[in-house]
Amino acid sequence: MLRQMNFYGRRGAVAAAIALLASCGGGGGGNGSGFFPITGPAPAPTQPEVTPVIARHTVSGTVTGLVGSLVLQSNAGDDLTLTADGKFTFATAIAEGSAFAVSVRTQPFWQFCVVTKGIGTVTADVADVAVSCSAAVAEVSTLAGSGAFGALDGNGTAATFADPYGIVVDKNGGLIVSDVGRNRVRKITADGNVTTFAGNNTTATVDGNGTAASFNSLTAIALAPSGDLYAAEFIGNRIRRITPAADVTTFVGTGAGGSVDGNAASATFTGPIAMTLDGAGNIYLAELNTALIRKITPSGDVTTLAGSGGFGFADGTGAAASFARPYGIAADAAGNLFVADSDNNRIRKVTPAGVVTTFAGSGAAGAADGAAAIASFQRPGGVAFDTAGNLYVADTGNSILRKITPQGEVSTVAGQAGAMGSQNGIGAAARFSEPSGVAVGTDGTIYVADTLGNRIRKVAPVGAP
């Protein structure tokens, strides 16, 4: 009995000890659960992070009517250059749900392109952007000059001119003008600020700097790639050189009237009225009173390229050809000369070898547009090329601005024949007053020396109203 009680007593003690250890979390092992391990639910396995896939879509469309080079832009960052009609697609795809915007960054030369269906939100590939291009129209405005006869410097219409005649575009996009009524060379910045670069109101051949120099009946000007400017003296019968620092010297011509070929110290001229340079730096002159085309090399050697020395009309080579009061001259990229043969109402072409042909004009005085052989002019004056090879003509007697394509097609850009004035406007609504000089910037903007209007006019391409 005693042994039985001891047994049960020992068993109770052990049970009590186990219970105590369990309640206190004691016991052996590293799990703190005593003799009976206690475990919770197993942790869930870590899932890899998944980047959501965003769909991207292309933007494309069609261009029609394009002649030249057009630059489109998508979302102000993705440029696309197009040179022909057809389908186009931007290189950069756009995330689904994002906005897209197609715009024209650079218009084609004398064209105006409009974008439709070019704005929206991308939900799928965009394929219906439409770009339509058409010929631009000419908007005429006044860059500088109040219309009053004078020589005031100033900005825009605060400045005055006195029969502005020759005009060239400088390398900075500004203008240089020969102001013949005051024997001054004027400069005009792109924003219309006018200053006097060289010359004063004195009619004399005086070398010097800036306004200390003077000219004897200043007429034509031409700009060399070096930055030197050449100016012709109609009565002084000399060609003057003006450096970018405004130092004026005599380049060639003795001052005596005549048509003697030779070097700078012995050559003579008679009434040089128009002037241009070719790519090699040769100067070409049109002499009004002798109707000759003269050539001056960069070293000052003078020769006669074409013309008989008397007024007339004849195609031919050298002295076998004849002109009648040539008033304008320009060189194309190949070195051919184009002469405004004023009294013959024609535009003549002269090759570097002196071969003269008729490029445009029937010879009748008029303002008929059309093919070269049937088109007409009235006392054409200044001429200038654009970078596309089109020739612009200041049709002085008609007071209009004309254009001749490389194929000889003649059209009226601005002004109305026989209607003189200084009205700004689009195309035929604009007015000129016997313009003499014309120049074209690299962007296609045309500048006109509106001689009797005493203004410098700007002709820029815009979309049709």
Side-chain angles (χ1 to χ4, degrees):
M1 181 68 173
L2 179 59
R3 185 184 306 166
Q4 186 179 10
M5 289 179 62
N6 288 341
F7 170 77
Y8 283 112
R10 288 196 299 273
R11 188 172 65 174
V14 171
I18 291 171
L20 179 63
L21 285 170
S23 66
C24 296
N31 58 15
S33 59
F35 294 103
F36 303 97
I38 301 173
T39 61
T46 303
Q47 296 295 324
E49 222 176 273
V50 178
T51 303
V53 176
I54 300 176
R56 302 185 73 84
H57 301 287
T58 58
V59 175
S60 60
T62 305
V63 61
T64 57
L66 176 61
V67 179
S69 178
L70 163 70
V71 180
L72 294 177
Q73 192 172 71
S74 174
N75 286 4
D78 189 6
D79 288 357
L80 179 63
T81 300
L82 305 174
T83 57
D85 285 353
K87 301 287 187 181
F88 64 84
T89 302
F90 286 97
T92 303
I94 297 176
E96 187 170 306
S98 299
F100 74 94
V102 178
S103 59
V104 175
R105 180 170 186 181
T106 305
Q107 294 281 4
F109 199 75
W110 271 89
Q111 277 199 299
F112 198 82
C113 299
V114 177
V115 179
T116 56
K117 296 185 179 180
I119 299 175
T121 300
V122 173
T123 58
D125 285 351
V126 177
D128 60 350
V129 177
V131 182
S132 177
C133 301
S134 59
V137 295
E139 181 178 43
V140 181
S141 60
T142 298
L143 177 65
S146 68
F149 187 92
L152 291 177
D153 290 339
N155 189 267
T157 55
T160 58
F161 296 88
D163 296 335
Y165 181 79
I167 185 169
V168 294
V169 180
D170 68 21
K171 63 180 180 180
N172 298 316
L175 302 175
I176 306 174
V177 177
S178 61
D179 210 8
V180 302
R182 287 287 187 264
N183 283 306
R184 286 177 166 91
V185 177
R186 316 288 292 280
K187 279 195 171 185
I188 310 174
T189 61
D191 59 357
N193 193 52
V194 181
T195 55
T196 299
F197 180 53
N200 50 59
N201 198 31
T202 304
T203 303
T205 303
V206 178
D207 291 341
N209 181 266
T211 55
S214 60
F215 302 91
N216 190 354
S217 296
L218 173 68
T219 51
I221 54 174
L223 188 64
S226 64
D228 287 340
L229 184 74
Y230 292 91
E233 291 184 337
F234 184 74
I235 294 177
N237 292 314
R238 295 176 175 91
I239 306 304
R240 314 287 293 284
R241 178 161 53 195
I242 311 171
T243 69
D247 290 321
V248 182
T249 56
T250 297
F251 176 55
V252 64
T254 65
S259 302
V260 177
D261 292 339
N263 60 33
S266 62
T268 60
F269 304 95
T270 301
I273 194 72
M275 184 164 49
T276 191
L277 279 89
D278 66 11
N282 298 299
I283 300 172
Y284 294 91
L285 291 176
E287 290 186 356
L288 184 68
N289 294 333
T290 61
L292 295 174
I293 307 302
R294 314 287 295 281
K295 176 181 177 180
I296 310 171
T297 67
S299 59
D301 292 322
V302 180
T303 54
T304 299
L305 179 65
S308 63
F311 290 1
F313 171 72
D315 290 338
T317 300
S322 58
F323 305 86
R325 295 188 185 275
Y327 256 98
I329 188 169
D332 69 7
N336 298 301
L337 304 176
F338 290 78
V339 178
D341 195 8
S342 181
D343 278 8
N344 283 321
N345 297 310
R346 292 175 170 97
I347 307 300
R348 315 286 294 282
K349 178 181 178 180
V350 187
T351 70
V355 178
V356 179
T357 55
T358 298
F359 178 58
S362 65
D369 291 335
I374 63 172
S376 58
F377 302 87
Q378 185 166 320
R379 292 189 292 110
V383 288
F385 279 99
D386 66 17
T387 56
N390 299 299
L391 182 68
Y392 291 89
V393 181
D395 199 357
T396 307
N398 284 317
S399 288
I400 55 178
L401 178 65
R402 314 291 291 280
K403 172 185 171 181
I404 312 175
T405 67
Q407 296 76 33
E409 189 72 20
V410 180
S411 60
T412 300
V413 177
Q416 184 173 338
M420 290 177 59
S422 299
Q423 180 179 334
N424 293 325
I426 302 293
R431 297 289 183 269
F432 301 95
S433 293
E434 296 203 2
S436 295
V438 61
V440 187
T442 56
D443 64 348
T445 302
I446 307 164
Y447 299 94
V448 177
D450 200 8
T451 304
L452 294 190
N454 293 309
R455 293 174 172 91
I456 304 303
R457 315 292 292 282
K458 178 180 178 179
V459 185
V462 296

